[in-house]
Amino acid sequence: MKKHTLNLGEFKQYDKIFITAENGIDVENVTSVAFDGEILYIAQPDCLFEYSDGKMKKISVKASKLFSKNGKLYAAIGNSLAEIKKGKAKKVAEFDSPVVDISTGLDNSLWLITEKNLYLMQEGEFTQIVDLPDETVCLAARDNKSKYGETVYIGSSVEGLLSMKGK
């Protein structure tokens, strides 16, 4: 009797890694996480951490929100948007009020909200699109002009979920 073997190839092994207070972070105050290549960045109100190869490194950058786009890591630092490179922050843009959230559309457009305004990056500069109501907390962009038009959703703890479609 001949035996047959079914070979389906290689299978990835997924590992669980728990990052806890033992790693030096206050897990209850994490505000944002993002990857820059193989490095995981973890933001807290008072500092930023790099997690790589099982090691945690504290960076003296105070970022409230992190965002990764096209191989670059951005951080909301007060009223500024900065690019994080090798543990250092380089200011990209300055705004009149604190940066709250950042999002990218389907066409790779970059959207940003501050406590007061919605911005769109056009030709390397942020252009103010519209004023926002109080207490904006989050942003989601779905900008694909050929199919949807400019559609952006903004969450406000006062006004609820708002949407902007087109102009």
Side-chain angles (χ1 to χ4, degrees), residues 34-36 41 66-69 71-75 82-84:
F35 276 101
D36 182 15
Y41 284 84
L66 300 171
F67 183 79
S68 183
K69 179 181 179 193
K72 294 181 180 180
L73 179 68
Y74 296 97
E83 183 181 347
I84 305 294

Side-chain angles (χ1 to χ4, degrees), residues 56-133:
M56 190 71 69
K57 179 181 172 188
K58 188 174 184 177
I59 301 170
S60 62
V61 173
K62 296 181 180 182
S64 59
K65 192 75 174 176
L66 300 171
F67 183 79
S68 183
K69 179 181 179 193
N70 295 337
K72 294 181 180 180
L73 179 68
Y74 296 97
I77 303 172
N79 290 15
S80 301
L81 179 67
E83 183 181 347
I84 305 294
K85 275 187 177 176
K86 297 181 182 176
K88 306 234 186 247
K90 180 184 174 190
K91 190 184 295 186
V92 174
E94 182 83 25
F95 302 94
D96 293 335
S97 59
V99 175
V100 175
D101 204 358
I102 311 158
S103 182
T104 186
L106 294 173
D107 63 353
N108 265 341
S109 57
L110 186 62
W111 294 83
L112 180 142
I113 57 171
T114 64
E115 289 180 344
K116 299 179 180 183
N117 299 297
L118 170 67
Y119 294 90
L120 172 62
M121 183 178 267
Q122 297 174 322
E123 298 175 13
E125 298 286 324
F126 281 98
T127 303
Q128 182 183 339
I129 302 300
V130 67
D131 294 336
L132 296 175

Side-chain angles (χ1 to χ4, degrees), residues 27-41:
V27 294
E28 293 182 8
N29 285 318
V30 172
T31 58
S32 187
V33 294
F35 276 101
D36 182 15
E38 297 291 319
I39 300 171
L40 175 65
Y41 284 84

